[in-house]
Amino acid sequence: MGKKVTLKYNEKEYNFDLLKGSEDENAIDVSKLRSDLNLITLDPGFKNTGSCKSAITFLDGEKGILRYRGYSIEDLAKNADFLEVAFLLIFGELPTKNQLNKLIADIQDNAIIDEDLKKILVSFPRSAHPMGILSSLTSALIAFNPEKKISLTKKTGDEHAYMYNLIVKLLAKIPILVAWVYRRRNGLSLDYGDYTQGYVENVTKMMFQRPNQKYIKNDVIVNAMNKLLILHADHEQNCSTSTVRIVGSSEASLFASVSAGISALWGRLHGGANQAVLEMLEAIKNDGGDTKKFMEKAKDKNDSFRLMGFGHRVYKNFDPRAKIIKVTAHEVLKDLGIKDPILNIAKSLEKEALNDPYFTSRKLYPNVDFYSGIIYKALNIPTEMFTVMFALGRVPGWIAHWREMRMNNDPIGRPRQVYTGSKKRDFLPLKNR
Ligand code: CMC
């Protein structure tokens, strides 16, 4: 018999199953708590709540470990191609050569956007934030690619083929939208590329190609982009992925769920942090570069300033992605011959924070977004596009979780609450108020 956890309530003892994950993490199964005891748990921000069982990504925040389907993030970032990682996350195994070639060919077959969607894009004001545009266009894709309901009970070959087609469509169309959002901001033509040249290479080409100029591939840019996309590809039940799962749990379409995920990612406490970090570093530079002054502001509870790119809900140790990105930032700046003073400002902030009891006692370390903006800036990507690049990387993770949720037949996501409002009272007519 498995281990139990006992809860004493109203002088009676109740046993709950203790579940173990494949990496030995423990969880109390409280799924019968309400039906058996008429109790719910209260856990604002879900700091202690597991919302599902998932076989996609393993994360140990205390030890600073991150693995996709068992493969370490260090190994993947060093050796893999982003599309291989996407396949791994979504379908569970690294692709064979044939599987990868088929995926690339299928993506290329779907690399087309309805011309009417261009009209929607150009109707946005130039000043609109790219994340808002990307979320809207992803949602608008549904109008041009209506999805049929996938049966949750029958997992037939047809259902799998249908789901595969949906996934391929999204993997093909999102990079085009990303490139177009960027090009529209820069007044450039909205063109297509060719995924058979390489998925990441095609994204960079679609973004950076200039009219009447021969596009010359820059390996530094493609490799840095490949690494960044891999590092952002999944992070288990974070805010945007939980959003995708919860939206999808109502049987909303894949595109609608991913559009919601893009909106959730936008905020500066989540994916929007990369934009916020760069703006913070630039502000410190323009203020004279006094990092200590900003450290004091970050620690001052009466000041709303936070050290952006620091701290994480689950990492209480170095974010392993941040370690890789810091090294990559150095390499990219060196290879592109760029000397950017904000890299030194970032390094000073990190050094000071790692020696400051405020940060060490709260286990606040640099996260994935602390150094990523420095790389994006070096690649000539405008600050407001940073979170869009994060979204591009996260698409395979969102798809993987949406697919897992649908294939596991997970129930609709619907938390409970502790009601703190008025007790029953009678309506007062307007003349008596
Ligand atoms: N600067 C100063 N103090 C901080 C910071 C920070 N960046 N982060 C946390 N703290 C303090 C916070 O004030 C609190 O102090 P106290 O215990 O005295 O009240 C303590 O540390 C715990 O913070 P919390 O806000 O309760 O922790 P959380 O798990 O709810 O929030 C976080 C995690 C990432 C939202 C937060 O650390 C933060 O706002 N960081 C800056 C934004 C950022 O870099 N976000 C990107 C996260 S990584 C990308 C991704 O989303 O995947």
Side-chain angles (χ1 to χ4, degrees):
M1 212 176 67
K3 281 194 181 165
K4 301 276 178 195
V5 173
T6 306
L7 175 75
K8 203 166 165 193
Y9 175 61
N10 282 346
E11 303 308 316
K12 274 173 79 178
E13 288 193 346
Y14 300 87
N15 287 326
F16 294 90
D17 288 339
L18 187 75
L19 305 180
K20 245 190 200 315
S22 51
E23 290 281 354
D24 282 346
E25 358 42 299
N26 294 315
I28 307 168
D29 181 353
V30 293
S31 51
K32 296 249 161 46
L33 191 64
R34 191 162 186 284
S35 57
D36 291 0
L37 277 84
N38 203 20
L39 279 179
I40 63 163
T41 54
L42 178 66
D43 186 19
F46 310 123
K47 292 190 178 192
N48 312 280
T49 297
S51 59
C52 61
K53 290 182 187 170
S54 178
I56 301 169
T57 287
F58 172 69
L59 199 166
D60 184 330
E62 274 70 34
K63 294 192 184 132
I65 294 173
L66 175 62
R67 294 185 203 129
Y68 299 161
R69 302 277 190 189
Y71 297 97
S72 79
I73 193 66
E74 291 80 7
D75 201 1
L76 293 170
K78 188 164 174 226
N79 298 309
D81 178 82
F82 175 63
L83 202 57
E84 287 181 285
V85 172
F87 188 99
L88 170 73
L89 285 167
I90 299 169
F91 301 111
E93 296 295 336
L94 285 167
T96 61
K97 206 167 184 346
N98 283 345
Q99 285 170 324
L100 193 61
N101 286 342
K102 179 175 176 344
L103 181 66
I104 293 168
D106 293 337
I107 288 175
Q108 181 57 29
D109 282 350
N110 284 282
I112 182 94
I113 303 273
D114 197 288
E115 284 297 305
D116 283 340
L117 214 95
K118 273 189 189 171
K119 292 186 200 152
I120 302 178
L121 171 60
V122 296
S123 66
F124 280 99
R126 279 266 167 85
S127 57
H129 195 284
M131 283 298 275
I133 304 177
L134 185 67
S135 169
S136 308
L137 293 184
T138 305
S139 191
L141 278 175
I142 307 162
F144 303 100
N145 302 272
E147 287 175 40
K148 68 173 192 190
K149 183 178 171 296
I150 301 177
S151 162
L152 294 175
T153 43
K154 285 186 288 150
K155 281 180 213 147
T156 64
D158 283 354
E159 300 292 336
H160 280 289
Y162 183 72
M163 203 184 266
Y164 176 83
N165 283 336
L166 272 184
I167 291 167
V168 160
K169 269 189 192 169
L170 203 60
L171 289 174
K173 294 178 196 302
I174 293 267
I176 301 172
L177 295 182
V178 166
W180 284 6
V181 169
Y182 169 82
R183 293 181 73 83
R184 158 85 178 138
R185 278 179 80 76
N186 291 286
L188 296 164
S189 54
L190 307 180
D191 306 323
Y192 292 98
D194 177 0
Y195 285 110
T196 59
Q197 307 284 308
Y199 191 82
V200 177
E201 189 176 338
N202 187 41
V203 178
T204 51
K205 188 173 170 188
M206 282 194 293
M207 286 176 78
F208 298 124
Q209 190 163 32
R210 293 292 179 268
N212 308 321
Q213 270 181 27
K214 191 173 165 5
Y215 172 79
I216 299 166
K217 181 186 168 195
N218 183 329
D219 283 334
V220 177
I221 295 179
V222 174
N223 293 339
M225 197 87 102
N226 185 61
K227 204 167 273 194
L228 284 168
L229 295 178
I230 290 175
L231 293 172
H232 285 99
D234 193 41
H235 213 233
E236 50 117 301
Q237 310 311 320
N238 55 82
C239 175
S240 57
T241 302
S242 301
T243 300
V244 168
R245 287 186 84 121
I246 211 159
V247 172
S249 77
S250 75
E251 298 190 5
S253 73
L254 173 62
F255 293 2
S257 308
V258 167
S259 164
I262 294 170
S263 296
L265 185 75
W266 190 355
R268 68 181 205 132
L269 298 189
H270 190 15
N274 53 16
Q275 176 178 340
V277 169
L278 205 94
E279 286 166 355
M280 174 188 79
L281 295 175
E282 297 282 5
I284 298 174
K285 186 185 86 182
N286 295 337
D287 193 65
D290 183 358
T291 48
K292 291 202 169 55
K293 176 176 157 189
F294 285 84
M295 288 292 289
E296 289 312 311
K297 275 167 75 63
K299 295 188 281 181
D300 181 355
K301 293 288 171 199
N302 297 316
D303 191 324
S304 62
F305 177 81
R306 276 193 167 197
L307 194 53
M308 299 313 290
F310 255 77
H312 200 278
R313 169 60 61 78
V314 288
Y315 289 119
K316 302 302 164 200
N317 198 323
F318 261 95
D319 179 338
R321 303 167 301 174
K323 283 190 190 170
I324 301 170
I325 290 189
K326 184 179 175 183
V327 175
T328 310
H330 270 281
E331 287 168 359
V332 169
L333 262 58
K334 188 165 163 266
D335 289 345
L336 296 177
I338 296 171
K339 281 199 171 62
D340 192 336
I342 62 168
L343 180 61
N344 287 336
I345 294 177
K347 279 163 56 184
S348 298
L349 285 173
E350 179 186 342
K351 197 168 162 205
E352 283 161 35
L354 295 179
N355 288 300
D356 189 311
Y358 174 94
F359 287 89
T360 50
S361 65
R362 290 171 178 78
K363 299 191 165 66
L364 301 171
Y365 292 87
N367 61 49
V368 68
D369 286 327
F370 195 61
Y371 286 100
S372 64
I374 296 175
I375 306 180
Y376 290 133
K377 186 180 170 212
L379 303 186
N380 257 332
I381 295 174
T383 315
E384 286 203 333
M385 281 293 294
F386 289 2
T387 315
V388 169
M389 302 316 293
F390 188 155
L392 178 64
R394 187 54 57 89
V395 167
W398 289 330
I399 295 173
H401 283 272
W402 183 89
R403 180 177 180 268
E404 181 181 70
M405 178 266 311
R406 297 301 289 265
M407 291 184 67
N408 287 350
N409 205 3
D410 281 355
I412 185 167
R414 203 301 184 188
R416 295 238 169 208
Q417 64 170 11
V418 175
Y419 175 67
T420 57
S422 303
K423 290 222 182 216
K424 183 180 181 309
R425 45 188 176 157
D426 291 331
F427 177 75
L428 268 184
L430 191 56
K431 63 179 168 47
N432 299 342
R433 273 178 253 155

